[in-house]
Amino acid sequence: MNSIVTIQGVEKSFGPVQVLKSVDLSVTRGEVVVIIGASGSGKSTLIRCVNGLEAFQKGRIVVDGRELPCEEDRELGDERMLGEVRKGVGMVFQQFNLFPHKTVLENITLAPMRVRRKSQSDAEVFGMKLLERVGLKDHAAKYPGQLSGGQQQRVAIARALAMEPHVMLFDEPTSALDPEMVGEVLDVMRELAADGMTMMIVTHEMGFAREVANRVVFIERGRVLEEGTPGQIFDSPREERTRAFLSRVL
Ligand code: ADP
Ligand code: MG
């Protein structure tokens, strides 16, 4: 169908420890998929595989028609599609990972200038639009250290959007924030979803997941145990272990 991310039979080990076990998951264009599961279940590893930050040993991952090389292909030097996939996939981490010695606007314009070969003025015009979109246009000349955590995370989202990605991946984007700053970041993500951005989001914010997700995927010990609409997963999970997890976090 119209899937933009296709994950088929993906297996991933770190040394002897198997972390992903035959994971199948497809994401349709414009869909918001929220991934939930206990700490250590493989959520981060899975989304890091989707933009090539981790190599996997078996299975296939295709993003926007481009197949990511598995570990063996990478070792053989076949990294052809890796860079292309990464250009089209935006990633936002728990730790914002902004460049501390660059201004907010420089953080946003760097990759479009280097990787997309945009002119500085084009990159800055687009960067200012994005800052306006995340409510930070008055902060363009500041350094990350002068901003709150919530503001820094909104800059990180703008920085990812600056590459005009087709898919956005979020790995616990609000977990490092003080509680009063969670809402402003979720608001930006909610707007992105409303604008039709395809998103894969790892989060423990179950209220947000219920409201924004088209689909919720529960991962347990490296497997997709259950997936469904938020209503199905939160109100009537099929699996006892999904129920047990939700009773711990809700
Ligand atoms: P989650 O994001 O769901 O908490 P992770 O994907 O971070 O889970 O981790 C899944 C498992 O893989 C854990 O057992 C973790 O210890 C292990 N793991 C993650 N990254 C590495 C790594 N770089 N080297 C070795 N083991 C790792
Ligand atoms: Mg994680």
Side-chain angles (χ1 to χ4, degrees):
M1 279 246 312
N2 197 13
S3 97
I4 184 163
V5 178
T6 306
I7 301 169
Q8 283 174 347
V10 165
E11 314 223 337
K12 159 83 184 166
S13 301
F14 289 106
V17 183
Q18 193 172 2
V19 172
L20 297 178
K21 296 167 188 162
S22 195
V23 172
D24 294 312
L25 183 63
S26 288
V27 181
T28 304
R29 222 168 272 278
E31 196 179 21
V32 177
V33 172
V34 166
I35 298 168
I36 61 172
S39 172
S41 57
K43 307 180 298 295
S44 294
T45 304
L46 178 62
I47 66 166
R48 288 167 63 84
C49 282
V50 173
N51 76 342
L53 283 174
E54 299 285 357
F56 51 95
Q57 284 94 22
K58 269 198 193 156
R60 298 178 72 209
I61 299 181
V62 182
V63 181
D64 222 0
R66 298 187 176 99
E67 179 149 5
L68 277 160
C70 67
E71 188 169 72
E72 191 184 346
D73 291 340
R74 286 199 198 187
E75 281 163 4
L76 293 171
D78 181 1
E79 299 224 328
R80 273 173 304 174
M81 285 301 175
L82 201 53
E84 286 307 309
V85 169
R86 281 193 183 145
K87 278 188 216 171
V89 179
M91 175 110 190
V92 175
F93 302 88
Q94 182 173 343
Q95 304 299 338
F96 331 118
N97 298 341
L98 298 173
F99 302 111
H101 303 300
K102 296 200 178 291
T103 66
V104 164
L105 187 58
E106 286 166 350
N107 265 277
I108 293 173
T109 56
L110 191 69
M113 287 166 60
R114 283 203 187 149
V115 181
R116 290 233 186 261
R117 303 268 164 228
K118 275 200 179 181
S119 71
Q120 182 168 347
S121 61
D122 283 355
E124 287 181 351
V125 168
F126 189 50
M128 287 307 295
K129 267 193 205 154
L130 292 170
L131 281 176
E132 184 161 11
R133 191 166 168 192
V134 301
L136 292 172
K137 78 176 182 337
D138 298 336
H139 301 269
K142 290 188 180 167
Y143 289 87
Q146 297 173 285
L147 303 182
S148 72
Q151 290 171 328
Q152 289 187 58
Q153 191 61 302
R154 286 187 280 148
V155 173
I157 294 172
R159 181 176 62 172
L161 292 174
M163 289 292 283
E164 300 174 70
H166 301 130
V167 186
M168 286 282 284
L169 309 177
F170 293 86
D171 192 0
E172 299 199 32
T174 60
S175 295
L177 298 176
D178 291 333
E180 72 269 23
M181 293 169 188
V182 169
E184 66 196 58
V185 171
L186 294 180
D187 284 344
V188 168
M189 293 169 64
R190 201 176 276 123
E191 278 170 30
L192 267 183
D195 286 347
M197 177 61 79
T198 307
M199 314 211 277
M200 294 177 75
I201 305 170
V202 176
T203 186
H204 298 295
E205 295 290 335
M206 298 299 166
F208 172 83
R210 185 188 275 277
E211 180 197 340
V212 177
N214 300 113
R215 191 146 50 100
V216 177
V217 176
F218 176 61
I219 301 231
E220 203 224 19
R221 296 186 203 184
R223 288 181 206 279
V224 174
L225 189 68
E226 177 164 8
E227 58 178 292
T229 63
Q232 284 164 347
I233 298 295
F234 292 127
D235 300 330
S236 45
R238 272 185 287 112
E239 300 287 337
E240 184 48 43
R241 284 174 290 175
T242 311
R243 199 180 301 270
F245 170 76
L246 290 171
S247 72
R248 289 197 300 274
V249 297
L250 284 178

